[in-house]
Amino acid sequence: MTLSEQLVAENEALWRTWQPHAFTRAVAENTIEPAVFLRWVAQDYLFVSEGLRFLGVLLSKAPHARLDGLADTIGAWKTELALFREHAAAAGADLTVPPYLVTRAYVDFLLATAHQEGFVVGWAVLYGVERSYHDAWRWALEHSAPDNPYRHWMENWGSDTFGAFVAHLAEVLDAQAAGLDEATRAAIHERFAQTARFEWLFWEMARHGERFGPQPG
Ligand code: MP5
């Protein structure tokens, strides 16, 4: 099994929680309460905008061959922010809300990882961030009606194009797997597992606000 697949397999219990999560299921069924969707929009907007710092640090540590692709990723995240702003404007909602603690902790974790660890560990975490969202939204895309009003959100992360980007992240990680020393390998597994826990918490937060149930698995 490749490293990228092994990482997902090790966190399968968490992965199952967003395939689907009650939140994404409600979006797919178009039964999501608008206020609950907006809560996610506002927190994810903060996640993506603050997450740019993580990409910036990762970029500064990247080998030359990865600079172009990472610059594109920064551009893609920036484009995505416009999607959030459009939705909020159409709903008459304010995106300048404070971050919930999970949002704050998740972006701080990303930034700390990029600073404290070498490039490959940060890359593995980026793969975890993007792979988990692709899998979550892919499920919604495959389980929603063609006229579902949230289709553009599902397609943003669930499309084949986004899937190809995630496959590229996996490929680059796997190409480095054989040459990793023990400490780096351990850091990848630990940080990836933490990423998966943050993803689960983020969906819980989107659905419930800041009240959480017990962790599965
Ligand atoms: C992503 C996201 C995907 N938007 N939010 C969370 C909580 N996890 C992952 O990142 P991006 O920048 O939207 O591709």
Side-chain angles (χ1 to χ4, degrees):
M1 194 188 284
T2 58
L3 175 59
S4 59
E5 286 308 319
Q6 193 190 342
L7 290 167
V8 174
E10 280 169 6
N11 294 284
E12 201 207 334
L14 286 164
W15 230 263
R16 273 199 306 266
T17 66
W18 55 78
Q19 288 187 307
H21 190 273
F23 182 93
T24 39
R25 182 190 290 279
V27 174
E29 292 172 351
N30 193 18
T31 55
I32 190 91
E33 276 176 51
V36 172
F37 191 74
L38 269 175
R39 173 163 59 208
W40 170 79
V41 167
Q43 293 302 315
D44 215 45
Y45 179 78
L46 279 166
F47 175 85
V48 177
S49 50
E50 286 289 318
L52 287 169
R53 300 183 202 278
F54 161 68
L55 289 182
V57 178
L58 202 56
L59 184 82
S60 76
K61 292 190 170 186
H64 187 80
R66 302 275 74 87
L67 293 177
D68 201 46
L70 273 171
D72 281 350
T73 305
I74 290 175
W77 286 27
K78 196 170 165 292
T79 303
E80 213 168 80
L81 291 173
L83 181 71
F84 287 94
R85 281 194 293 265
E86 270 166 38
H87 182 89
D94 184 10
L95 283 182
T96 59
V97 295
Y100 280 134
L101 278 181
V102 169
T103 310
R104 178 81 269 158
Y106 197 0
V107 294
D108 286 355
F109 160 78
L110 293 180
L111 196 55
T113 300
H115 276 294
Q116 292 163 3
E117 304 286 350
F119 175 75
V120 67
V121 179
W123 185 272
V125 164
L126 176 62
Y127 163 65
V129 166
E130 304 287 31
R131 169 78 191 258
S132 56
Y133 246 43
H134 176 61
D135 290 352
W137 288 107
R138 182 82 185 185
W139 185 96
L141 190 61
E142 287 171 354
H143 293 83
S144 59
D147 63 347
N148 180 302
Y150 299 100
R151 283 290 275 214
H152 58 291
W153 293 99
M154 300 171 201
E155 276 157 9
N156 188 60
W157 294 283
S159 68
D160 289 345
T161 308
F162 198 85
F165 164 60
V166 172
H168 163 74
L169 295 176
E171 220 172 87
V172 171
L173 176 64
D174 292 336
Q176 296 171 80
L180 298 174
D181 60 47
E182 263 321 296
T184 306
R185 183 170 286 275
I188 286 176
H189 286 272
E190 187 193 347
R191 297 275 178 168
F192 191 92
Q194 287 165 345
T195 305
R197 288 173 72 191
F198 271 121
E199 284 295 327
W200 163 67
L201 277 175
F202 206 91
W203 290 121
E204 292 288 291
M205 175 190 75
R207 181 154 157 79
H208 300 294
E210 294 213 280
R211 291 180 298 121
F212 308 117
Q215 180 180 321

